[in-house]
Amino acid sequence: MNLDRAYLGFYLGAVFAATLIHDPVWLACGLGLALLASGRKAMGILRQALFAVLTFNLLISLSYILMAWLQDVSPWVTLIRLNLRVLLITCLTFLFIARVNLFRALDFSPGLTFVLGLAYSQALTFRRAQDDFRLALASRSLKPPRLIDRYRASAAAAAWFIEKALHAATQSSQALRSRGFFND
Amino acid sequence: MTEIRYRPVGVDAPAVMRTIDLGHHFGGESARACEVLRDIGFTLRSGEKSVLLGCNGSGKSTLLKILNGLITPSHGRVFYQDDEINPARLKDPILHRRFRAEVALLFQNPDAMLFNPTVFDEIAFGPRQIGLPDIEARVRHWAAEVGVSAHLSRPPFGLSGGEKQKVCLAALMVLEPKVLLLDEPTAALDPRSTGWLIDFLASLPVAALISTHNLGLAPELASRALVLGENHRLIYDGPIQALLTDMEKLAAANLVHTHRHRHGDIEHRHTHVHDWQ
Ligand SMILES: Nc1ncnc2c1ncn2[C@@H]1O[C@H](COP(=O)(O)OP(=O)(O)OP(=O)(O)O)[C@@H](O)[C@H]1O
Ligand SMILES: [Mg+2]
């Protein structure tokens, strides 16, 4: 049992627990513990997690407030619970990514390692490509780009990603098939 | 091997770009940081064409992006003429506008550069930003130069890889830059288009740094070579002719390879170059 695998088990357990706990106080405790475990990286992880969930949480919260207002109930406890839970799980995930070498955590199974390799290389390729789209627009802009140009550039990037993702999915399933993952 | 035309650009030609002690690693200061460039120092002179050679992952694209002021290097400095260039410096709108108009980068993946509704708009993107006169004539001129006139009203996304690269090139050239940074411009081109690109570049009065890992093509593209080794350092900077006979350097840069040859019954192995074309 290596340390990375222990962390993986711990992470899965913690996420599962976070979905079971309903009391906002305990969720807040969990968040505090997760940040404590993050040590010096706590502020960075918290900021990263806040940014990551901002849009999602805002959208959900607003629609929930609207719903609660229409039904004339108090939304606050539910809202706090929901936001705390999403934030806690996100923090746990970022902490996990920062601490754990997934490849070592999964090294007990060659199959899982292979799947992880496929997913990881794809995520990496996409992140690099996303950087390239951003940098290319910057490189071609003599003035700060207009909104319409930013919009067009992201639309082009999105279209490119979808096309590449479809292509990559076909290839990945072929790769998996050739390794005997589907026995049909 | 091809005939080599080495015409060194005089040391008196003005320097356009200069790097001092350039180094870069991705991943910040963390333990997982990976070094991609180390101690890179060279000068590009006005009108001079150089190839940037290096194997996959040696840091060519990263170096070109740093030269284009898109990435802040972890160490060292880059100068364009007398101005230091990095993303922070380019926040100055006057420097930004001059630098972006005069130093152009062709990305390795041309898709990253294309986002306008038609090829015409794509080429007109730069000139429109600064309100150049005669945009229509400029666009048509450069479209004809690179051979995409027939596609002007089509969206760029449907073009072939080589055509996309040509559209990108026209979109850069229409601003008449002084320095061209080209990241593997021949990768998607067929032999005829490659020949065309060689003549096209030779006719341009610009300084150019052209990355490639195609050794056979290098002497056609330029007379000077910069070689990034597998150790991410600049292991050669000089005339390309001398480089091509230096098997040790080429092997260090992982630009040549060894495999068995069979000639009838005789089998032997030696290090050599392929002209992959
Ligand atoms: N955004 C990034 N984040 C982290 N690492 C990166 C990033 N971009 C490139 N790298 C790594 O830096 C190294 C150099 O990459 P670079 O793209 O500059 O190489 P290259 O010489 O252009 O290779 P190629 O011939 O394949 O185009 C590679 O190991 C690559 O994985
Ligand atoms: Mg590259």
Side-chain angles (χ1 to χ4, degrees):
Chain A
M1 187 85 181
N2 63 34
L3 204 60
D4 290 285
R5 207 175 307 156
Y7 277 131
L8 174 65
F10 193 72
Y11 165 74
L12 293 175
V15 169
F16 185 62
T19 59
L20 291 183
I21 297 173
H22 281 283
D23 190 339
V25 178
W26 283 110
L27 284 171
C29 286
L31 189 61
L33 276 177
L35 291 176
L36 217 61
S38 312
R40 291 213 337 261
K41 289 191 184 141
M43 276 328 282
I45 285 181
L46 185 61
R47 185 147 24 92
Q48 213 181 355
L50 275 172
F51 272 117
V53 301
L54 193 66
T55 328
F56 174 78
N57 274 20
L58 220 58
L59 222 69
I60 300 280
S61 301
L62 285 179
S63 46
Y64 187 79
I65 289 176
L66 187 73
M67 202 180 75
W69 179 68
L70 289 176
Q71 297 179 351
D72 206 18
V73 294
S74 165
W76 304 117
V77 179
T78 315
L79 268 186
I80 291 172
R81 179 189 301 143
L82 178 102
N83 281 297
L84 273 177
R85 184 178 292 153
V86 173
L87 192 62
L88 171 59
I89 293 178
T90 315
C91 277
L92 282 171
T93 306
F94 281 134
L95 174 61
F96 177 70
I97 293 170
R99 280 286 162 80
V100 176
N101 180 339
L102 252 185
F103 282 95
R104 228 177 314 144
L106 293 180
D107 65 3
F108 61 92
S109 154
L112 281 178
T113 307
F114 183 68
V115 174
L116 177 67
L118 280 181
Y120 187 74
S121 70
Q122 230 144 81
L124 212 60
T125 315
F126 279 13
R127 211 192 59 204
R128 299 268 169 86
Q130 191 189 12
D131 279 349
D132 268 6
F133 277 89
R134 186 173 52 78
L135 293 180
L137 179 64
S139 177
R140 293 187 63 193
S141 296
L142 289 83
K143 295 196 298 194
R146 297 173 304 164
L147 200 59
I148 177 84
D149 295 322
R150 284 184 202 280
Y151 170 72
R152 280 180 179 148
S154 13
W160 187 88
F161 285 125
I162 291 169
E163 196 191 307
K164 282 286 167 313
L166 287 177
H167 182 71
T170 323
Q171 294 227 311
S172 295
S173 75
Q174 277 162 359
L176 287 170
R177 195 177 298 275
S178 82
R179 301 263 306 214
F181 267 80
F182 314 116
N183 290 315
D184 53 354
Chain B
M1 193 78 3
T2 36
E3 186 203 338
I4 290 155
R5 303 155 289 169
Y6 179 48
R7 277 177 279 109
V9 169
V11 278
D12 46 328
V16 280
M17 292 211 82
R18 206 151 47 89
T19 71
I20 302 170
D21 274 348
L22 210 60
H24 193 66
H25 45 251
F26 285 108
E29 297 300 316
S30 75
R32 290 190 204 170
C34 79
E35 184 170 53
V36 291
L37 292 170
R38 180 164 200 154
D39 296 337
I40 311 283
F42 60 86
T43 303
L44 298 179
R45 298 187 179 280
S46 162
E48 183 183 35
K49 312 276 192 300
S50 310
V51 282
L52 177 62
L53 289 159
C55 59
N56 289 133
S58 56
K60 302 182 295 296
S61 299
T62 308
L63 177 57
L64 292 177
K65 285 174 192 159
I66 292 175
L67 291 178
N68 197 226
L70 297 170
I71 299 180
T72 311
S74 318
H75 309 281
R77 308 165 81 182
V78 178
F79 288 89
Y80 172 62
Q81 295 170 346
D82 293 323
D83 292 297
E84 184 170 1
I85 296 299
N86 56 46
R89 284 301 184 92
L90 288 172
K91 294 222 165 81
D92 169 12
I94 296 170
L95 177 64
H96 181 269
R97 182 171 150 162
R98 183 166 71 90
F99 181 74
R100 291 275 170 242
E102 295 179 1
V103 179
L105 169 62
L106 180 74
F107 278 67
Q108 185 167 1
N109 172 10
D111 286 306
M113 300 177 65
L114 301 170
F115 55 86
N116 285 286
T118 67
V119 169
F120 185 98
D121 294 317
E122 203 65 73
I123 303 177
F125 179 73
R128 278 177 184 156
Q129 291 180 77
I130 45 176
L132 285 184
D134 304 326
I135 290 179
E136 166 111 21
R138 283 172 202 265
V139 172
R140 291 195 183 282
H141 169 77
W142 285 104
E145 279 287 312
V146 306
V148 295
S149 298
H151 306 309
L152 277 176
S153 55
R154 285 177 59 187
F157 316 109
L159 301 176
S160 78
E163 288 166 338
K164 283 179 184 168
Q165 218 142 20
K166 291 177 186 174
V167 171
C168 291
L169 203 56
L172 299 179
M173 287 313 301
V174 70
L175 288 168
E176 295 171 13
K178 297 193 170 128
V179 181
L180 266 184
L181 307 169
L182 306 179
D183 200 351
E184 307 211 12
T186 58
L189 299 186
D190 57 27
R192 189 160 57 101
S193 300
T194 305
W196 163 81
L197 183 74
I198 290 167
D199 290 343
F200 178 72
L201 288 177
S203 71
L204 294 175
V206 299
L209 182 60
I210 306 149
S211 88
T212 177
H213 37 86
N214 187 330
L215 260 191
L217 218 53
E220 306 275 356
L221 289 165
S223 46
R224 174 184 175 193
L226 301 169
V227 181
L228 283 177
E230 282 202 289
N231 56 5
H232 307 293
R233 291 167 185 265
L234 196 59
I235 59 169
Y236 183 86
D237 176 4
I240 211 165
Q241 188 171 24
L243 173 71
L244 290 177
T245 54
D246 189 345
M247 276 296 165
E248 226 166 279
K249 276 262 153 53
L250 294 176
N254 206 2
L255 289 166
V256 286
H257 62 171
T258 308
H259 64 74
R260 282 198 298 282
H261 290 254
R262 276 168 223 95
H263 310 286
D265 292 338
I266 306 166
E267 188 179 286
H268 66 124
R269 54 190 299 139
H270 62 93
T271 308
H272 69 134
V273 180
H274 274 298
D275 271 314
W276 302 112
Q277 272 302 303

